[in-house]
Amino acid sequence: MSDYTIGVVDDDLNIRGLVEAYLHKENYRTVGLGSAEEAWELWRSDPPDLWVLDIMLPGMDGYELCRRIRGEADVPIIMISAKDNEVDKILGLELGGDDYLVKPFSPRELVARVKRQLQRWYKHRGQEEAAPAATANAVDVGALRILPGERRVFLGKDELDLTFKEFDLLRAFAEHPNRAFTREELLVLVWGDDYFGSDRAVDHLIKRLRKKADGLPIEAVWGHGYRLRAGGGDEA
């Protein structure tokens, strides 16, 4: 069996069983769940390596579960839905979904996207863990201190509990204080150059950062993007 476990969340037993069967053919372990509440309990006790998450669920919906998980980690999430509406897709991606499939979908296509997300995300993590010690020097911007080698961030005396994407975004800003980044540049830096979703995902990630770090001097640059303001003027 693969080293990866996939959480499959769908209240339709037939769809859930079909998805799990195709994943088993590729030697993935799966945990099938019929509600977001059950999935949240699994997340708290034994989180899987990737989620296949239906949006329309009884009780808590998939959007809310995605939002909760994203508040704590960047584990890959593939959202599935019968809704073929651009607004629903954008909302799912803005809340942190990495991919979006519309029902009915090809199980083979889903498996291909699972493979892609796992390779992309865990390769990224492996590169971070194998980074040379030379990149571990602290980055200081005002009251903000980033320790890249330890993936730790402090704002004043307080340590911030950040997900991988939040950390990568803040590190990009801190390494280039006062530089105005476009959303497209930030998407490549944080999500990779093969990300296909809305650039509004950047806005949502920055909102999350601001909630966790009150007073963080990230400001919008109208008509352009964002920058981390540090006294001393704009970077060329």
Side-chain angles (χ1 to χ4, degrees):
M1 294 294 284
S2 165
D3 291 333
Y4 297 119
T5 299
I6 315 299
V8 182
V9 190
D10 198 312
D11 61 326
D12 187 318
L13 185 59
N14 291 327
I15 292 178
R16 195 167 75 233
L18 181 64
V19 168
E20 289 193 80
Y22 272 82
L23 290 170
H24 290 164
K25 287 182 181 179
E26 298 298 323
N27 292 319
Y28 292 113
R29 294 187 295 267
T30 66
V31 180
L33 302 158
S35 73
E37 288 80 5
E38 291 176 300
W40 183 242
E41 289 181 10
L42 178 66
W43 171 254
R44 288 301 197 185
S45 60
D46 188 19
D49 300 293
L50 179 146
W51 293 95
V52 175
L53 174 59
D54 186 26
I55 291 175
M56 303 302 293
L57 295 167
M60 185 196 310
D61 64 19
Y63 289 134
E64 175 61 17
L65 177 60
C66 180
R67 186 191 66 78
R68 290 190 184 188
I69 292 173
R70 272 295 168 265
E72 299 186 0
D74 287 319
V75 58
I77 300 175
I78 298 176
M79 307 191 83
I80 57 176
S81 175
K83 293 185 175 183
D84 187 14
N85 184 299
E86 185 176 358
V87 173
D88 294 304
K89 292 180 183 179
I90 290 174
L91 178 58
L93 293 169
E94 284 186 349
L95 289 175
D98 297 286
D99 207 341
Y100 190 107
L101 272 175
V102 177
K103 296 178 181 179
F105 53 81
S106 162
R108 290 188 178 88
E109 181 180 359
L110 174 61
V111 170
R113 295 195 185 202
V114 165
K115 288 181 179 179
R116 175 176 172 272
Q117 289 298 332
L118 287 171
Q119 290 169 354
R120 181 166 161 253
W121 173 236
Y122 291 100
K123 178 182 178 182
H124 171 71
R125 288 191 63 178
Q127 289 172 342
E128 288 288 341
E129 291 168 0
T135 67
N137 295 332
V139 179
D140 295 290
V141 180
L144 181 68
R145 165 164 276 228
I146 298 178
L147 304 176
E150 301 176 28
R151 294 193 73 87
R152 300 175 70 190
V153 177
F154 296 85
L155 187 60
K157 296 180 180 179
D158 299 324
E159 183 170 2
L160 306 181
D161 184 15
L162 303 183
T163 67
F164 270 82
K165 285 191 178 73
E166 290 164 355
F167 178 90
D168 289 341
L169 179 65
L170 189 54
R171 179 179 177 180
F173 280 131
E175 289 179 342
H176 303 279
N178 295 311
R179 174 184 168 181
F181 288 92
T182 66
R183 289 175 176 82
E184 290 76 16
E185 288 173 326
L186 293 171
L187 281 175
V188 172
L189 287 170
V190 178
W191 281 264
D193 57 11
D194 59 349
Y195 179 75
F196 76 96
S198 167
D199 62 6
R200 292 169 66 183
V202 172
D203 302 331
H204 185 72
L205 190 60
I206 287 175
K207 286 180 183 178
R208 280 165 43 193
L209 260 178
R210 285 171 170 164
K211 285 182 180 179
K212 291 186 176 183
D214 187 33
L216 192 66
I218 294 177
E219 61 183 25
V221 179
W222 193 84
H224 188 82
Y226 293 94
R227 68 179 160 208
L228 178 68
R229 171 63 74 181
D234 293 345
E235 181 180 286

